[in-house]
Amino acid sequence: MKKYHKIKQKIIFYVMAVAISQAIVISVIMCIGNIRSTDSSLLDNMQTTARIASQSISSNLHLLCERIYNLSREPAFTDPAASTRDRQACLDNAKLQIEFVWLAAYDPDGKKYMGTIMRPLPSRTKNTIRI
């Protein structure tokens, strides 16, 4: 009877060892699969988001360039006889209509010719659009 009890314990031990090892192997495989699936999903989502963001930025820049181009073609800027007051009024009107934070005109040397008082610091004016 004692031997039978030992055999029963050995069978239980080996069955439990196989079950635990299978559970560990399956868990590792599932974790690897989940990580790969998550990486793939995140990559797809990020690519889509980046494409949408780039299209939005591109269309906004195109619209901004078009607005600035149209503003530069105003008679106040194309007519050499136009006064500084007319040009400033044109800038103020454009600022209100287009909702710019600030709007200024610069001379060919890059110095502010006219525009709003509130403007970025001089170090930031390198990237401004000149009209």
Side-chain angles (χ1 to χ4, degrees):
M1 210 59 165
K2 196 101 171 150
K3 275 194 167 199
Y4 181 75
H5 188 64
K6 275 189 167 183
I7 292 177
K8 183 178 178 183
Q9 286 179 343
K10 284 184 180 181
I11 291 173
I12 290 174
F13 174 76
Y14 286 122
V15 168
M16 289 299 286
V18 168
I20 290 172
S21 63
Q22 285 180 344
I24 291 171
V25 168
I26 290 173
S27 295
V28 168
I29 291 172
M30 297 277 291
C31 286
I32 291 171
N34 284 337
I35 289 170
R36 285 187 179 181
S37 175
T38 302
D39 285 345
S40 175
S41 296
L42 284 175
L43 181 62
D44 290 344
N45 287 340
M46 287 182 70
Q47 286 175 342
T48 303
T49 303
R51 183 176 38 81
I52 290 169
S54 69
Q55 287 174 348
S56 174
I57 291 169
S58 175
S59 71
N60 286 338
L61 283 175
H62 179 73
L63 184 62
L64 178 65
C65 288
E66 185 177 318
R67 287 177 175 170
I68 295 296
Y69 177 77
N70 289 337
L71 181 61
S72 71
R73 297 293 160 217
E74 288 286 326
F77 292 107
T78 57
D79 185 14
S83 68
T84 304
R85 176 183 256 168
D86 292 339
R87 291 177 180 162
Q88 183 64 47
C90 184
L91 282 177
D92 292 339
N93 187 28
K95 180 183 171 196
L96 292 175
Q97 288 178 355
I98 305 174
E99 299 175 2
F100 283 118
V101 174
W102 68 275
L103 191 59
Y106 290 83
D107 64 8
D109 296 330
K111 295 181 182 173
K112 183 180 169 192
Y113 177 63
M114 71 184 63
T116 44
I117 296 171
M118 293 175 38
R119 64 182 175 133
L121 297 173
S123 64
R124 294 183 185 171
T125 58
K126 294 177 182 176
N127 296 328
T128 57
I129 299 172
R130 297 184 183 140
I131 56 171

